[in-house]
Amino acid sequence: GFDNWNVLIIVFTEMRDKLRKWREDNHRNSEQIVDVGEELINEHASKLGDDIWIIYEQVMIAALDCSRDDLAWTCLQELKRQFPGSQRVKRLAGMRLEALEKYEDASKQYDSILQDDPTNTAARKRKISILKAQGKSAEAIRELNEYLEQFVGDQEAWHELSELYINEHDYGKAAFCLEELMMTNPHNHLYCEQYAEVKYTQGGLENLELSRKYFAQALKLNNRNMRALFGLYMSASHIAACPKVNATVKKANVRYAAWATNQINRAYQVSHAMCCVLLKQ
Amino acid sequence: MSIKLTTQAYCKMLLHAAKYPHCAVNGLLVAEKQKEKKKDSHSTPILCVDCIPLFHGTLALAPMLEVALTLIDTWCKENKYVIAGYYQANERTKDFRPNQFAEKVGARIAENFSEAAMIMVDSTRFTMGCYEPILAIYDHHENKWKCRDCNADCFEDWCEAQKITSALLEGRSYESLIDFDNHLDDLRNDWTNPEINKSVLHLC
């Protein structure tokens, strides 16, 4: 009786909190979202209060990822009923059309949003996603650049553009995008580290030295960033091995590489020790 | 001059692709090191016994790939393996042709292992039932990659591979598959995937 009721409340709260965490972290673990979200919607809708609408949205998008058009459709109908004429819901309808590969219809949907609201960034980004899905990378890049001229502070867009450039092996332009991100987010170790990776990939002594500096900067911002640590080792080693460098530079980089090796070994020791502790338990 | 795949190698490739359906994924294939080069070594196929999933998402950056190749090379030497192939599944389902990056990595591997293969995963034919092999295998000939027909002959035991891969997909084993990216996020994550190897053995 009472115990069962408590368990149910705990289970329900856990599920709702999980969904919230995944929303906040922007996790694309769609199968899990569908599992948890579908049960929450079917069994506990009344307890969710106003949370239910954002959950419908989250579950709908995850359902599209899992080819669960039945579930996506249900969520969409609930949202249409509650928010008639909403641009946000219109965009979700567009995403469903994208998932069904009805790109022209999806595009028309987004165009109709933009007619009513030309500053609707979500609709513009969906149109660019369609170009990406169709493999039209050059056009996607062009549109995204145009978008960023207007919405220069959109970090998600700068990051997306850097990825598009990397996929096209246009590392110089990718670096530019990451420079924008580092400027507006000087404490973000991930941007530093990604910038360092791009510079390293570009190659050449100057870029290697830059990459080493930015791997080091990323480590300063987060001393547990293993990519930055490995990157520091790799870049310093390559610089030290380069015939063009003078003895002083070579000596310094040999030292950096040695320090990095030491840190890497320590990191592995700590992680293995933790594994052993876990096993013993 | 051709490679064959064990169930474990095929399985882990597909689990990797299944774990990240919205991303490009790539990885390496390893074979047991041959003791001596026999005269008729051209006719004996090379058996890829295992697969090391590498990255998901943005593939075309050099530093972490170099780190992975270095660490895995060391591991190979300890286990008398050799890196024998490279696989990639592109981000877009319909895009299953090798791109410049795949060819570059493939060529790099071929420098150390002349019979190296490049494998592209064809996601359009990816089903839970795994009724047909969904790979395109490319061999390196005179600086060009030539596509070879992939059928049951490319597997040590296709029936076993089909059954076990399908079972693991149904059981969502891909949720616990570890790639090198996961390892870099947390060093405790083991890219040799011992638990999945056990599951494969268990189902054999």
Side-chain angles (χ1 to χ4, degrees):
Chain A
F2 204 61
D3 279 340
N4 291 345
W5 183 75
N6 269 333
V7 169
L8 279 175
I9 292 294
I10 290 167
V11 166
F12 154 75
T13 328
E14 269 181 20
M15 289 167 77
R16 191 198 53 196
D17 292 346
K18 267 191 196 162
L19 280 183
R20 185 190 307 130
K21 181 154 202 305
W22 292 333
R23 243 179 0 252
E24 287 167 4
D25 294 344
N26 208 4
H27 250 330
R28 199 169 173 173
N29 53 333
S30 300
E31 274 190 319
Q32 289 176 314
I33 292 172
V34 164
D35 280 349
V36 174
E38 189 169 23
E39 187 175 331
L40 214 56
I41 288 168
N42 289 341
E43 312 288 322
H44 304 280
S46 52
K47 293 202 251 342
L48 287 167
D50 276 337
D51 270 355
I52 196 168
W53 308 115
I54 202 160
I55 287 173
Y56 272 132
E57 182 182 48
Q58 182 184 12
V59 173
M60 189 207 157
I61 295 173
L64 291 179
D65 255 356
C66 299
S67 292
R68 284 287 310 275
D69 193 48
D70 58 318
L71 179 58
W73 182 251
T74 306
C75 294
L76 185 57
Q77 295 322 298
E78 293 294 325
L79 287 165
K80 273 185 175 164
R81 202 176 312 147
Q82 181 71 9
F83 305 102
S86 150
Q87 305 287 42
R88 189 160 161 177
V89 177
K90 259 186 163 177
R91 164 189 163 246
L92 290 173
M95 285 177 79
R96 180 177 165 270
L97 291 168
E98 284 185 64
L100 297 169
E101 292 182 274
K102 297 184 172 159
Y103 296 123
E104 267 192 54
D105 290 339
S107 214
K108 286 200 188 110
Q109 182 83 342
Y110 300 134
D111 284 335
S112 96
I113 296 176
L114 287 166
Q115 255 190 344
D116 289 338
D117 176 13
T119 67
N120 191 303
T121 57
R124 277 184 78 165
K125 288 198 244 191
R126 286 322 310 165
K127 288 190 73 174
I128 293 168
S129 297
I130 290 176
L131 291 171
K132 228 187 129 180
Q134 294 173 312
K136 299 178 178 168
S137 345
E139 284 180 57
I141 287 173
R142 199 177 53 230
E143 295 289 322
L144 195 42
N145 269 299
E146 266 184 52
Y147 171 86
L148 280 164
E149 278 172 30
Q150 233 187 306
F151 300 97
V152 77
D154 189 330
Q155 295 176 30
E156 180 187 60
W158 279 112
H159 202 260
E160 179 70 39
L161 186 56
S162 79
E163 284 182 9
L164 288 174
Y165 278 132
I166 290 169
N167 289 337
E168 299 302 305
H169 305 289
D170 197 339
Y171 300 111
K173 298 214 180 87
F176 178 78
C177 297
L178 287 162
E179 281 161 11
E180 285 289 327
L181 286 166
M182 287 193 297
M183 246 190 339
T184 48
N185 302 271
H187 300 296
N188 185 316
H189 65 107
L190 294 172
Y191 292 151
C192 267
E193 187 266 309
Q194 284 167 21
Y195 180 75
E197 285 200 55
V198 169
K199 281 294 161 195
Y200 183 108
T201 308
Q202 274 182 290
L205 185 56
E206 234 179 87
N207 285 325
L208 270 178
E209 291 191 305
L210 260 175
S211 93
R212 195 209 63 231
K213 289 198 176 105
Y214 279 91
F215 279 130
Q217 177 64 8
L219 267 177
K220 236 173 48 183
L221 293 169
N222 181 341
N223 62 7
R224 290 191 306 180
N225 185 327
M226 279 312 293
R227 288 180 180 81
L229 191 49
F230 273 118
L232 177 60
Y233 169 77
M234 298 294 292
S235 52
S237 302
H238 278 309
I239 296 167
C242 184
K244 283 196 279 180
V245 300
N246 65 43
T248 324
V249 172
K250 183 178 174 122
K251 205 168 163 192
N253 280 280
V254 164
R255 224 179 39 238
Y256 299 141
W259 179 85
T261 309
N262 211 313
Q263 296 297 106
I264 290 168
N265 286 333
R266 280 175 66 179
Y268 272 108
Q269 277 168 16
V270 168
S271 71
H272 284 153
M274 286 172 86
C275 279
C276 291
V277 170
L278 290 168
L279 285 170
K280 281 197 189 132
Q281 287 175 346
Chain B
M1 266 279 237
S2 52
I3 64 152
K4 273 194 184 216
L5 300 165
T6 61
T7 295
Q8 183 165 299
Y10 185 65
C11 218
K12 284 153 84 172
M13 254 195 290
L14 263 62
L15 288 176
H16 194 204
K19 186 181 182 186
Y20 299 107
H22 56 287
C23 291
V25 298
N26 67 358
L28 300 173
L29 293 160
V30 300
E32 281 169 354
K33 202 169 170 122
Q34 298 300 312
K35 293 232 171 85
E36 343 107 11
K37 241 189 187 270
K38 301 183 196 130
K39 258 228 177 122
D40 60 348
S41 67
H42 280 256
S43 53
T44 47
I46 291 147
L47 187 62
C48 285
V49 296
D50 205 357
C51 148
I52 316 285
L54 289 180
F55 304 109
H56 57 272
T58 310
L59 303 181
L61 289 174
M64 296 309 125
L65 177 62
E66 281 186 38
V67 172
L69 286 171
T70 309
L71 286 181
I72 290 163
D73 207 44
T74 307
W75 177 78
C76 278
K77 290 197 167 77
E78 288 167 8
N79 292 279
K80 306 245 177 20
Y81 286 150
V82 64
I83 296 177
Y86 169 78
Y87 73 87
Q88 185 171 303
N90 290 328
E91 185 179 11
R92 286 177 55 237
T93 317
K94 298 202 168 117
D95 185 8
F96 48 80
R97 278 166 321 146
N99 55 17
Q100 192 187 40
F101 184 72
E103 294 190 354
K104 251 182 158 174
V105 182
R108 169 104 175 246
I109 293 172
E111 276 174 25
N112 290 333
F113 189 75
S114 53
E115 290 103 334
M118 177 178 53
I119 294 181
M120 296 300 295
V121 180
D122 181 1
S123 300
T124 58
R125 294 182 292 149
F126 199 159
T127 62
M128 292 292 264
C130 300
Y131 299 119
E132 46 167 357
I134 61 171
L135 309 177
I137 302 182
Y138 293 78
D139 302 309
H140 208 209
H141 282 294
E142 291 152 20
N143 274 325
K144 286 213 191 87
W145 292 98
K146 216 168 148 230
C147 188
R148 189 185 1 130
D149 236 355
C150 178
N151 48 40
D153 287 336
C154 300
F155 297 84
E156 190 183 30
D157 182 343
W158 167 245
C159 281
E160 180 192 77
Q162 182 271 320
K163 236 179 36 199
I164 293 179
T165 306
S166 179
L168 291 181
L169 284 170
E170 292 279 350
R172 296 209 197 165
S173 289
Y174 46 82
E175 287 175 359
S176 56
L177 180 101
I178 301 295
D179 66 8
F180 202 75
D181 259 331
N182 302 138
H183 177 72
L184 290 172
D185 290 334
D186 184 336
L187 293 183
R188 293 168 295 174
N189 288 329
D190 189 348
W191 44 262
T192 64
N193 287 286
E195 290 307 313
I196 295 194
N197 293 344
K198 262 190 229 148
S199 305
V200 171
L201 229 60
H202 192 64
L203 288 167
C204 274

